[in-house]
Amino acid sequence: MNRQRIFAVLLIVILGFACYFNALSVPFIWDDVGLVSGNYLIKDFRYTGKIFTADLYNGKSEGQNFYRPVQSLSYMLDYHFWKLNPLGYHITNIILHIATAILIYLLVSFLTPAVKISQAPPTPRGSRALLSSIPLLTALLFVVHPVHVEAVTYISGRADILAALFMLSALLFFIKWLKGNKSAICYLLSVICFIIALFSKEFALILPVLLLLYVFACRFNYVKEYARRIYVYIPFLLAGAFYLSLRLLIVANKTVFPPKADIYKNILFFPKAAFLYLKTIILPLNLHMSRAVRLPESILSLDFIFPALGLALMSFLIFKMARTQKAKLVSFALVWFLINLVPYSGLFQINAYFAEHFAYLASVGIFLIIAIGFKRLISLNKGFLVLPAILLIFYGVISIRYNYAWRDPERFYKRIISLSPMSYHAYNNLAAIAEQKGDYREAEKLYLKSLSANDAFSNTYFNLIRVIYLSGREEPALIQMEDLIKKHPDNFWAWANLGSMYANRKEYPQAIDAYRKSLEINPGISTHHYFLALTLKEAGNNDAAIDELKRAIELDASDFHYHYALALIYKNKGIYSLALDEYKKALSLEPRNAAINLNLGIVYDLMGDYSYAEKYLLKAKGLDNNSANARYNLGVFYWSKGRYDEAKEELETSLKIDPEFQQAKT
């Protein structure tokens, strides 16, 4: 690698970290909770195999249609080093984004010698030439552009970065193979990278078309004739077919393609979407997630006619430019932009009509055209060197400012609503924050707004009913939940919510029945086994509660609550050795939990191991010095050992903390 290329890579790295440094303090937000903090599969390497046999959300969310095991594996590696510290996950996203930008630099470096774009005089040499370098400027625009904040700052957006990274790797290895560099190895690596890209995001299915685009756009001397024959692409097509077959098996009852009625309106929206993406890339203002867009009503709608005419004109220009050597690279860039938007055209089943992260790889085509334009301007006058610098600063500042918007989830959702008032997801998520704060009236109001924006969003109905219940209107909430379940009998979340309602009312038989119906529909939710176990325990069925807790632990061994609850039952049953094992497991997961230390000390005392008993009782007291219960149990321990002065001190302190603590008085 020559000195100029090393300097170019360093510049990409520096600008990448500069634009996303302030994203390191962004907390888990939106789907990050389900994919990372609440995903037990990423918390233990023994679940690696299960990641490949489960959908992205592990059956936890209805209406999802994603199979992306490489994304989950990347979270597993992050969890191994960072546990649930968002900082580490953000560092990974930023590094992957910068690596993708470097690959774009290499790809465009391959493209520019293949297609002459201008006969203008050469540009300056040295450092001044860097900003006139088409490959470098394309990569720099990519790494700093704010349209990618949704993929980089949002931890759950990693799928786009991973897919792009491995798709570009596959394309680069394919190009090396065409050039005859270690041909067999490069070709094999290209296929392997394609497979990894597929398991990162289904969008990667478009790669064989990009390979064809490269071959037809760059027919220079060293491309052998057999490289354009169909058998070259058969391994890629077979890999795609294998992925689709496996996906259909794993993501049960979820189709890759939408209903025919939806395909029609999606296709009508595609021309409009293409120009919306173009506008967003060129002038990235008021960026936000969960955009509410208006779909064309028919083929006669102006929302379809004008964008369709624009797309037809763009296609004509592509055809004309492809026939001239000087404009061939511009033609390639426009086709790249459109091809990479096709997976989001509505031909495939996706969960949004328009999203900024959909433009992640497509944007490279537009940046390449901008870089070509600057190259020609600078060739005419060196004074134009300032223009790319100004544009990079402009885009970089917007990225940094946009990152700040992600740091406070409540303000983040309010900002989305201010820009897209019909964003039902944002209302739903903002309502969840109000619910967590105990502001049930505000939560109810926001859930209702979510439903007014989209009354087909069934999860909001269940959330609304839960808030009605929590606000004290139990009977109407129960009636509404039961009615809603009649309409959605396969919604396991609804059955679980009904179970919790009955459990709160101490109507244990009905609660147990509801929880069991939830688990019949989806037995893979560890929390539902846990809540069923607690209900069974309250109902006096400890043996059945033990079975459910064991199932919860099989599904997710990383939640200390499960071990703690199981240990408590074992202790109450007098099975102290098993209780001790479970308390130790709980303590390894939550070492600073006073209640676990307290109960561990009690079990050691019951087993006659007094030194360990005192150790953990004292630790519980140290962790929660204002716990009357910890002081009481330590006092009882001292009293039983004849250490009456110490016992008196602890019991008196317990009563100071809680004057009504009858056991301490006794």
Side-chain angles (χ1 to χ4, degrees):
M1 186 180 287
N2 59 42
R3 183 180 298 177
Q4 190 168 358
R5 184 165 285 188
I6 292 172
F7 190 82
V9 169
L10 285 174
L11 192 56
I12 293 169
V13 172
I14 291 168
L15 286 185
F17 274 108
C19 285
Y20 287 97
F21 182 78
N22 66 327
L24 295 176
S25 57
V26 172
F28 292 125
I29 195 170
W30 210 309
D31 286 340
D32 294 346
V33 176
L35 296 182
V36 181
S37 59
N39 185 1
Y40 76 90
L41 288 181
I42 71 166
K43 297 175 182 177
D44 196 316
F45 284 116
R46 68 190 175 97
Y47 295 130
T48 302
K50 191 167 183 180
I51 282 175
F52 284 90
T53 60
D55 63 55
L56 183 61
Y57 288 85
N58 190 33
K60 289 184 178 179
S61 183
E62 285 199 318
Q64 300 297 347
N65 192 28
F66 306 123
Y67 176 57
R68 301 169 183 174
V70 170
Q71 182 181 2
S72 297
L73 286 174
S74 72
Y75 295 146
M76 180 182 280
L77 287 173
D78 280 335
Y79 183 83
H80 177 71
F81 293 105
W82 300 94
K83 299 309 179 197
L84 291 179
N85 184 351
L87 170 69
Y89 298 81
H90 287 300
I91 290 173
T92 302
N93 270 24
I94 295 167
I95 290 172
L96 290 171
H97 178 58
I98 291 170
T100 304
I102 292 169
L103 292 185
I104 289 166
Y105 170 70
L106 296 176
L107 174 63
V108 181
S109 297
F110 278 122
L111 287 171
T112 45
V115 183
K116 294 184 183 298
I117 62 166
S118 175
Q119 298 299 327
T123 52
R125 293 184 178 182
S127 59
R128 287 190 305 164
L130 282 172
L131 289 180
S132 66
S133 162
I134 292 174
L136 179 58
L137 186 52
T138 304
L140 291 178
L141 287 168
F142 177 86
V143 84
V144 306
H145 201 281
V147 79
H148 301 323
V149 166
E150 192 173 297
V152 183
T153 301
Y154 185 32
I155 294 169
S156 295
R158 185 179 297 179
D160 291 280
I161 311 175
L162 288 168
L165 182 72
F166 287 105
M167 286 171 71
L168 290 167
S169 299
L171 182 53
L172 286 166
F173 281 123
F174 187 78
I175 293 170
K176 280 184 168 290
W177 171 73
L178 287 178
K179 290 183 174 183
N181 297 345
K182 300 179 182 178
S183 59
I185 295 174
C186 287
Y187 185 80
L188 180 61
L189 288 173
S190 179
V191 175
I192 290 171
C193 286
F194 175 51
I195 293 170
I196 298 172
L198 286 171
F199 283 91
S200 300
K201 190 174 182 180
E202 52 284 341
F203 157 78
L205 285 164
I206 205 73
L207 179 74
V209 182
L210 297 178
L211 300 180
L212 283 168
L213 171 65
Y214 178 82
V215 169
F216 286 116
C218 306
R219 289 185 178 178
F220 30 89
N221 294 333
Y222 54 77
V223 177
K224 298 179 181 179
E225 184 62 32
Y226 69 80
R228 294 192 291 272
R229 295 175 185 171
I230 191 65
Y231 68 80
V232 170
Y233 306 98
I234 289 176
F236 295 95
L237 297 175
L238 289 175
F242 168 74
Y243 165 78
L244 285 173
S245 301
L246 186 60
R247 188 183 187 283
L248 288 170
L249 287 173
I250 303 301
V251 189
N253 302 319
K254 305 283 179 67
T255 178
V256 179
F257 305 103
K260 290 181 181 178
D262 288 343
I263 290 178
Y264 173 71
K265 63 181 181 182
N266 292 345
I267 291 174
L268 289 182
F269 179 65
F270 179 67
K272 180 179 178 180
F275 285 98
L276 281 175
Y277 285 117
L278 186 60
K279 175 189 171 185
T280 305
I281 292 168
I282 294 172
L283 196 63
L285 302 177
N286 294 327
L287 299 174
H288 61 284
M289 288 183 69
S290 190
R291 290 185 180 229
V293 294
R294 188 176 65 182
L295 300 180
E297 295 178 1
S298 72
I299 199 169
L300 299 175
S301 170
L302 294 179
D303 273 356
F304 171 75
I305 292 173
F306 287 123
L309 288 173
L311 203 57
L313 177 61
M314 188 186 293
S315 301
F316 174 74
L317 291 173
I318 288 169
F319 177 76
K320 293 291 287 183
M321 287 187 291
R323 297 169 67 88
T324 63
Q325 191 68 15
K326 290 182 182 180
K328 200 169 188 180
L329 195 57
V330 177
S331 173
F332 173 91
L334 283 172
V335 175
W336 177 282
F337 170 69
L338 294 174
I339 284 176
N340 281 286
L341 290 180
V342 167
Y344 307 113
S345 64
L347 295 175
F348 304 101
Q349 187 79 281
I350 52 178
N351 63 343
Y353 289 104
F354 184 93
E356 288 153 18
H357 67 92
F358 290 169
Y360 189 73
L361 198 54
S363 64
V364 176
I366 305 304
F367 300 144
L368 178 53
I369 293 169
I370 294 172
I372 292 169
F374 280 133
K375 169 79 172 181
R376 288 180 173 170
L377 285 173
I378 294 166
S379 297
L380 296 173
N381 189 323
K382 296 174 187 177
F384 287 119
L385 274 168
V386 71
L387 294 179
I390 291 171
L391 188 62
L392 287 170
I393 293 169
F394 173 67
Y395 286 155
V397 168
I398 294 175
S399 292
I400 293 168
R401 286 174 60 88
Y402 188 22
N403 283 327
Y404 279 113
W406 289 72
R407 296 167 74 165
D408 181 346
E410 188 171 355
R411 289 176 61 190
F412 176 74
Y413 296 129
K414 286 179 178 178
R415 181 177 179 274
I416 291 174
I417 290 167
S418 69
L419 295 168
S420 280
M422 296 302 288
S423 176
Y424 59 93
H425 281 296
Y427 279 117
N428 183 75
N429 293 345
L430 192 58
I433 293 174
E435 183 182 339
Q436 289 169 3
K437 291 180 177 178
D439 190 349
Y440 301 131
R441 180 174 293 181
E442 178 66 14
E444 182 178 347
K445 183 173 73 174
L446 290 167
Y447 282 133
L448 286 169
K449 285 186 177 180
S450 176
L451 289 172
S452 68
N454 183 0
D455 60 2
F457 191 36
S458 62
N459 285 342
T460 300
Y461 280 109
F462 300 119
N463 295 337
L464 175 62
I465 294 170
R466 183 180 62 249
V467 164
I468 291 171
Y469 181 87
L470 292 171
S471 63
R473 291 167 285 168
E474 294 184 7
E475 288 299 333
L478 268 173
I479 293 168
Q480 288 181 60
M481 184 64 78
E482 288 170 344
D483 287 343
L484 204 54
I485 285 174
K486 290 176 184 176
K487 297 176 185 176
H488 303 275
D490 293 331
N491 189 301
F492 53 89
W493 286 113
W495 283 108
N497 277 328
L498 184 63
S500 67
M501 289 179 181
Y502 280 127
N504 287 337
R505 291 160 61 94
K506 301 190 185 303
E507 297 177 12
Y508 299 128
Q510 295 94 321
I512 291 167
D513 183 57
Y515 278 129
R516 283 183 168 153
K517 283 180 179 174
S518 170
L519 290 166
E520 283 173 13
I521 299 165
N522 189 343
I525 308 297
S526 61
T527 51
H528 294 178
H529 286 285
Y530 171 68
F531 288 123
L532 173 57
L534 296 184
T535 308
L536 288 164
K537 177 179 174 291
E538 291 299 317
N541 193 343
N542 284 323
D543 291 334
I546 288 171
D547 290 338
E548 292 301 327
L549 286 169
K550 286 180 177 178
R551 290 191 185 98
I553 290 168
E554 284 175 10
L555 289 168
D556 183 3
S558 66
D559 194 316
F560 81 92
H561 293 95
Y562 305 164
H563 297 286
Y564 181 74
L566 185 56
L568 194 59
I569 295 175
Y570 282 142
K571 187 188 81 170
N572 293 339
K573 287 172 70 71
I575 312 174
Y576 300 134
S577 59
L578 293 180
L580 190 67
D581 289 341
E582 294 301 326
Y583 278 133
K584 285 180 177 178
K585 289 174 184 175
L587 192 66
S588 68
L589 295 166
E590 198 76 8
R592 296 191 60 78
N593 186 293
I596 299 172
N597 281 279
L598 176 62
N599 279 281
L600 196 54
I602 293 170
V603 171
Y604 271 122
D605 186 25
L606 292 168
M607 296 177 72
D609 195 335
Y610 303 127
S611 61
Y612 273 106
E614 184 175 7
K615 171 187 172 182
Y616 285 103
L617 290 170
L618 285 170
K619 192 174 179 183
K621 169 187 165 182
L623 289 168
D624 188 359
N625 202 38
N626 291 318
S627 170
N629 196 36
R631 296 280 190 165
Y632 163 74
N633 278 281
L634 187 58
V636 170
F637 173 79
Y638 286 144
W639 175 76
S640 67
K641 305 300 175 289
R643 296 160 65 177
Y644 301 121
D645 290 338
E646 292 168 285
K648 182 172 180 286
E649 181 183 348
E650 295 299 335
L651 292 169
E652 284 178 343
T653 306
S654 176
L655 283 170
K656 285 178 183 177
I657 297 168
D658 183 4
E660 302 303 319
F661 196 167
Q662 189 59 47
Q663 288 173 297
K665 288 181 181 179
T666 303

